């Protein structure tokens, strides 16, 4: 079965921001749903995850119990048993595929190809504000990375991300300069620019960073979207996966 991942020009390491196209799930999950936390058929999810692992020439796809935190796990071997509660992973071990699941939150993939260190982070607004990307950069440096490139994958764009004043207040309490990432919406609502906020955080942390420019909300044929599923009153939603893996020796 053919998958259609989006790849970044600034990453050398095998990776992909996988779209929903090419998987075996059906119904509202139609396509490549890789989320074990969804109510999709577990066998379909397992098949989809195996397809992603095969596309990266990895034995298995590792993912976390994502909790919108700044916590990072350093992997020295594949995850077995319960998935760690965290939102980012780093490794310098070839063959370990790092995967993060999203459906509007931002997936961020990292590499220092010369040092042989990679990372993957799930950055919703809470994790982004708490510093999950900063923590990922720091964890990579602890493994010897010095020249880190990062790419933000498909995520909800500003035009589709309407929020209330209490949302903006949390950012302003952390740094008043974050007002530049909000634009006027309707009445007391505003629109938040998550990818631009993350780009600012990544570059301030010393990473070379970019965004693929894809909006999950506005392209139902290619992407799952939590917010779109809510607006459509659907019972659940699929999860996209972004993954990266150092080549095996």
């Amino acid at each position: 079965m053919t998958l259609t991942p989006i790849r970044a020009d600034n990453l050398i390491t095998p990776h992909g921001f996988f779209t929903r196209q090419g998987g075996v799930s059906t119904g509202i999950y139609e396509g490549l749903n890789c989320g074990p936390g969804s109510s999709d058929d577990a066998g379909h999810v397992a098949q989809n995850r195996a397809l992603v692992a095969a596309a990266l020439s990895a034995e298995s796809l590792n993912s976390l119990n994502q909790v919108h935190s700044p916590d990072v796990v350093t992997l020295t071997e594949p995850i077995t048993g319960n998935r760690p509660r965290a939102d980012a992973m780093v490794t310098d071990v070839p063959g370990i595929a790092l995967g993060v699941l999203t459906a509007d939150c931002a997936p961020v993939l990292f590499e220092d190809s010369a040092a042989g260190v990679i990372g993957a982070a799930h950055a919703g607004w809470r994790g982004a504000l708490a510093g999950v990307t900063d923590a990922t950069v720091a964890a990579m440096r602890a493994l010897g990375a010095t020249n880190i490139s990062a790419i933000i994958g498909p995520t909800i764009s500003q035009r589709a991300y309407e929020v209330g004043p209490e949302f903006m207040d949390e950012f302003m309490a952390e740094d008043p300069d974050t007002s530049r990432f909000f634009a006027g919406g309707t009445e007391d609502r505003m629109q938040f620019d998550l990818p631009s906020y993350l780009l600012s955080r990544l570059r301030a942390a010393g990473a070379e960073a970019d965004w693929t420019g894809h909006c999950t909300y506005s392209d139902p044929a290619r992407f799952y979207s939590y917010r779109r599923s809510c607006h459509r009153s659907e019972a659940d939603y699929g999860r996209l996966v972004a993954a990266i893996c150092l080549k095996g020796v």
Side-chain angles (χ1 to χ4, degrees), residues 50-187:
L51 288 170
V52 171
L56 295 174
S57 299
E59 291 188 7
S60 62
L61 175 66
N62 298 277
S63 63
L64 301 163
N65 181 359
Q66 297 171 180
V67 291
H68 299 277
S69 72
D71 299 334
V72 183
V73 174
T74 299
L75 293 187
T76 57
E77 59 185 8
I79 295 170
T80 57
N82 294 331
R83 290 172 290 139
R85 289 172 58 86
D87 288 85
M89 293 174 284
V90 299
T91 191
D92 58 359
V93 179
I96 294 181
L98 308 181
V100 290
L101 303 172
T102 60
D104 285 339
C105 292
V108 189
L109 299 179
F110 302 76
E111 73 165 14
D112 180 336
S113 57
V117 180
I118 56 172
H122 159 256
W125 74 266
R126 288 191 183 278
L129 182 60
V132 68
T133 51
D134 305 61
T136 306
V137 169
M140 290 180 67
R141 287 183 176 142
L143 291 177
T146 58
N147 187 18
I148 297 171
S149 296
I151 184 76
I152 301 165
T155 183
I156 193 166
S157 65
Q158 185 172 26
R159 66 182 179 273
Y161 200 178
E162 193 172 67
V163 300
E166 68 286 346
F167 182 106
M168 183 175 178
D169 288 346
E170 292 206 39
F171 282 81
M172 293 290 287
E174 186 74 20
D175 180 0
D177 187 50
T178 57
S179 62
R180 62 195 172 101
F181 301 110
F182 293 84
T186 58
E187 297 181 355

Side-chain angles (χ1 to χ4, degrees), residues 30 33 43 50-51 110 162-163 180 198 202 224 231-232 241:
E30 182 178 358
N33 173 32
L51 288 170
F110 302 76
E162 193 172 67
V163 300
R180 62 195 172 101
L198 285 167
L202 287 162
Y224 301 114
H231 289 171
R232 291 181 174 182
V241 67

Side-chain angles (χ1 to χ4, degrees), residues 4-57:
T4 57
I6 296 163
R7 294 191 171 91
D9 293 337
N10 68 333
L11 295 188
I12 298 171
T13 306
H15 71 282
F17 296 98
F18 291 83
T19 70
R20 67 183 296 176
Q21 297 169 340
V24 301
S25 293
T26 59
I28 59 174
Y29 307 106
E30 182 178 358
L32 191 75
N33 173 32
C34 290
S38 72
S39 297
D40 193 6
D41 179 271
H44 288 168
V45 173
Q47 288 181 63
N48 290 335
R49 291 171 67 92
L51 288 170
V52 171
L56 295 174
S57 299

